[in-house]
Amino acid sequence: MNKVIGTAVNRKDGRAKVTGTATYAAEHEIPGLVHGYLVTASIANGQIKSIDTRAAEKAIGVIDVFTHKNSPKVFTPTNDFMTSKIYEARLPLSDDKIHYAGQIIGLVVADTFERARDAAHLVKVEYTSQKPVVEAALATFKEAPPQMGEELKFEKGNFAAGMASATTKLTATYKTAIELHAAMEPHAIIAHWQDASLTVYEPSQAVLATQRTYAELFGVPTEQVRVVTPFLGGAFGSKAFPWPHGILCAAAARELQRPLRVVLSRRQMTANAGHRSETEQTMRLGATADGSLTAIAHEVKSCTSPVDVFTEPCTSVTPVMYTAPNLQLKQELAVLNMGTPTFMRAPGENPGMWAMESAMDELAWMLKIDPVELRLKNQTKEHQRQGQPFSAKHFADCLLLGAEQFGWKDRPKQPRSLTRDGKLVGWGMAAATYPGRRGAASVKVRLLQDGTAHVLTAGNDMGTGAYTVVAATAADALGLPVEQIHVELGDSLLPDGGMAGGSMMTASLVPAVMSACEQVLKTANAKTAQEAFATLSQSGQAAIEATASSAPGDETKKWAFQSWGAHFCEVSVDEEIGRLRVTRWVSVMDIGRIINSKTVASQVRGGVIMGIGQALMEDCQVDPNIGYPVVYDLATYHFPAHADIPRIQVAFVGKPDFNFNPAGVRGVGEIGITGVSAAIANAVYHATGKRIRDLPITPDKLI
């Protein structure tokens, strides 16, 4: 039997991507295609007094101009996460109110992109304007409402009593900046109506959910909507559901009965395609002299939009990391005149671990206890909110192996005690964590006369390696070389493969692929694919196929599922010019079974790189007067380049988590970013003696 799972398999989609044959949303060529360009508001708070489209309508090549005065018909969807979902509850062009700068107020359609863009600038708008609230410091914070059915406020024990019994106490506030998803592929859509049926070419992390949503938006049966997403050029949470530009494009296309393409500009993406809210987190820790935690309080402030509600759930990490008899969680939310924030790689867990792991490092220095030892001493055996034990937890192994590989025992015990080439050098570490999640998924496997196996599912690959994982799983189960496995993803005509988000695509798809492979062999009355091919050849059939599904059971009633990790890093700091470089990195992860050792390590490295960007560079500042982000492209929004990144050493510990699913695999897409910024800030403290609590760590904070 050809064992493939766990080995290093090259990306199945790699050749298509580097040769340009991978087709992204905006690249589908449809006969008769016309082009749309958005008209967006230049104020952040107010009302449209008048909008004059006459010059735009007369421009060469213009087909139509849509505003709130002639907005095409759209129905209000259920807008429930489990059925259908849109990113903004307010439908586009639904009235003349302006809630944030960059809000869509019109759409110009023309025969070419350039003509649509030029005509959009001819639309004249007068406003009645009010001063926008775009700074959190000026906003009014209130208790955050439940998110996805869970109350965000939680208490266990008596926090005040726990702090009173502590001999060492820490209170510190940590801040993060607004971050942008900044995917390489801009948000784009092609909507094509044929009679009453709609085909949507759009980067979607949840193909079947998007299908259901568009069906509700336009009042047609679900089977009359097809969503096609074979490739995504990055998403990070911002391409899971339809945005207003997609809804408007599909509505205008129906009105015109022409296939219509709308592509957001980089400038429009900063305002119209989501972001991670800025956060302010206050951590209060109490501990005894030996380092035992007596109390933890985690209080968070984040911001949302006037057109929808989204809370950055930072306190989700607190009950899973360190045990304390007294626990207090609180989240507050304020409304700013900005576009809607949304899910961004490890939403909640990422900024939450920035605060938690920074505070644990500060406490370790106060107690004169090694930061690794403090974490080992206080790790929790159960989810302190759910009251369930963790399944297959190897957090301690991550800490110990990471410390060994990094050489942590040789760390100088005082800040500013290590130098190299005239620069201060510091070592830091932090933990990483992310929930183990999975959803329902269905897969079809077909064995063909030519000796190949085809695996089909609507689940998709946003660059994380799903094509390769599915192929490797099928190759292993069928006993075939990976080269003989063909994978089709991202089309709503295929079986529902679930969502590529929440680090659950692999955990959802792999058990379904295994089951479908087993079923197709059973259908062929064969033990191996080669036997099946022989049977197929004799039968004269074109193919043998089987469809199978996998879904969560009652395991969540018995266990809490979580993945774990540890980061260790070295930084150098040139204080004279405030230059900070990350010079060495080790990450160790416990994520259950490894399907493809190459892409899984790549996912961790990608998370670390994104975390380095968050720690050192990423900051979407907003003009307080007009409410627009001052960043407007990939040059003004800073993120890491190759020269900013050291070699990232990645290792894995732990065994398959068969309590979680039949494959024993958990996801890895998001855990890599959690704890990264804290590890860097902790290393900066070791290097300089300066405790930075406000991200990003820019040169002015180091000089």
Side-chain angles (χ1 to χ4, degrees), residues 34-37 61-66 107-111 116 252 256 260:
V34 295
H35 305 264
Y37 197 87
V62 169
I63 298 168
D64 210 337
V65 180
F66 297 94
L107 175 69
V108 176
V109 179
D111 58 354
L256 298 171
L260 175 61

Side-chain angles (χ1 to χ4, degrees), residues 12 453-457 466-472 474 485-489:
K12 292 286 284 185
H454 289 229
V455 186
L456 303 89
T457 178
Y467 277 103
T468 315
V469 163
V470 168
I485 308 295
H486 298 271
V487 181
E488 294 182 40
L489 301 177

